[in-house]
Amino acid sequence: MTLEQLRIFVAVAELEHMTRAAQSLNLTQSATSAAIAALESRYATKLFNRIGRRIELTDAGRLFVVEARAVLARAAAAETVLTDLAGLSLGSLTLAASQTVGNYWLPPLIHRYQSLHPGIKLAFRIGNTEQVAAWVIEGICDLGLIEGNIDEPALAIQPIADDELVLVVGARHPWAKRRSVAPHDLRATRWVLRERGSGTRAAFESALAKFGVAAADLDVALELPSNEAVRSAVAAGAGATVISKLVVTALLKTKSLVALGLPLEKRHFSILRHKERYLTQAEREFYRLASGKA
């Protein structure tokens, strides 16, 4: 078994498609198929079910992918120790961020980091808060940036910035001409919310608990997987939402959305790293920039 075979297997497992995995690794489809076939043949174990043009992991494959990722993470860590000796002139940094941080707060910071350290190869992926934490724990990403709180004993968590949450409705919503809403009024409208697992959803439900309002009592019309989808649905009149002010600033200026007063606490943007993994110079420098110490 080689690291290259493991790398190919993990790519196919994540993309669930042989051709797309080959393209992502800059390999031919035949080479990718051959690597998977070699693993299955050598260990007499079927790793994928092939259903038409689609493939999916077998039970054995689902167990194996966890170990394969762990091995690749350790190999990457070993390589990192060596490349770190070259300082910030060489190396790589893989970031993950939840949607609000990744789409609205992080891009200028990434640009600054790349300008200062062009020799560091940056990779970046976006998910919700729970996904970001899982990627850092599994070693898929070096550092994660999230909004809100998460309880993971394996992770070191450091707040780096504040984020303001606002209650917004569309211009034609019955509340649009009001200046504020009292907590006891929240049951009187339909809601458009992010999916469970997102930091924005968790922050809103935490605020509801402090108001003495049960989340189950709200009339949730839509649960959507992105801030942009929530923002568009609310502007179209689907209901109210609580969301980061960063996400809706442009629509507030055009008056497509209206912000209403509601006593919501600020939340933190935080940076995550695995407590037991080596902290490279590239990661230290990103910490320094992200925390405003540069």
Side-chain angles (χ1 to χ4, degrees):
M1 188 184 301
T2 67
L3 288 176
E4 181 68 4
Q5 287 175 325
L6 294 182
R7 189 168 68 98
I8 292 170
F9 166 72
V10 169
V12 175
E14 290 180 347
L15 295 172
E16 295 187 332
H17 198 281
M18 202 72 70
T19 302
R20 286 199 291 268
Q23 291 170 345
S24 72
L25 297 170
N26 199 26
L27 296 172
T28 64
Q29 183 174 343
S30 60
T32 303
S33 299
I36 299 300
L39 280 174
E40 292 181 324
S41 175
R42 179 178 177 87
Y43 297 98
T45 302
K46 194 173 183 63
L47 299 173
F48 293 99
N49 290 317
R50 290 150 178 89
I51 305 171
R53 294 184 178 180
R54 188 172 63 87
I55 60 174
E56 63 180 17
L57 287 167
T58 62
D59 289 342
R62 280 190 286 273
L63 292 172
F64 183 53
V65 74
V66 175
E67 301 302 327
R69 284 174 176 153
V71 171
L72 291 174
R74 291 302 303 159
E79 183 180 12
T80 294
V81 172
L82 294 179
T83 57
D84 205 34
L85 297 175
L88 291 167
S89 60
L90 292 174
S92 64
L93 180 62
T94 303
L95 303 173
S98 53
Q99 290 196 24
T100 305
V101 186
N103 287 318
Y104 296 93
W105 187 85
L106 188 56
L109 182 64
I110 289 178
H111 173 66
R112 186 179 180 198
Y113 186 92
Q114 288 185 313
S115 298
L116 291 171
H117 309 295
I120 304 298
K121 183 179 179 182
L122 276 178
F124 178 44
R125 61 168 64 187
I126 289 180
N128 64 34
T129 293
E130 290 185 357
Q131 289 171 327
V132 170
W135 291 334
V136 176
I137 290 171
E138 293 172 17
I140 296 171
C141 297
D142 301 313
L143 300 175
L145 294 102
I146 62 168
E147 62 260 15
N149 301 314
I150 193 160
D151 183 17
E152 287 290 352
L155 299 177
I157 305 172
Q158 176 183 324
I160 52 174
D162 289 331
D163 181 41
E164 182 180 353
L165 293 171
V166 291
L167 167 60
V168 295
V169 297
R172 297 182 180 179
H173 190 279
W175 289 353
K177 293 184 179 180
R178 298 172 62 169
R179 291 188 176 182
S180 63
V181 175
H184 64 261
D185 291 331
L186 299 179
R187 300 182 184 90
T189 190
R190 304 183 81 192
W191 290 88
V192 180
L193 301 178
R194 284 286 308 279
E195 81 286 3
R196 296 188 184 278
S198 78
T200 299
R201 175 71 172 263
F204 179 47
E205 291 185 348
S206 176
L208 289 174
K210 291 177 181 178
F211 294 150
V213 177
D217 290 344
L218 297 189
D219 179 7
V220 180
L222 293 170
E223 292 187 359
L224 299 172
S226 74
N227 289 325
E228 290 69 27
V230 169
R231 180 181 66 185
S232 296
V234 171
T241 197
V242 167
I243 199 166
S244 170
K245 192 173 182 179
L246 289 171
V247 176
V248 295
T249 296
L251 293 187
L252 291 175
K253 289 179 179 178
T254 63
K255 298 185 179 180
S256 298
L257 291 176
V258 177
L260 302 171
L262 182 70
L264 296 166
E265 295 179 1
K266 288 186 177 180
R267 62 177 177 177
H268 297 301
F269 291 159
S270 300
I271 189 166
L272 314 176
R273 70 173 184 86
H274 200 291
K275 292 177 180 177
E276 297 180 0
R277 291 201 175 95
Y278 179 77
L279 188 64
T280 68
Q281 290 189 52
E283 292 166 17
R284 290 191 192 97
E285 177 65 6
F286 187 85
Y287 257 95
R288 193 169 69 91
L289 289 175
S291 60
K293 295 177 181 177

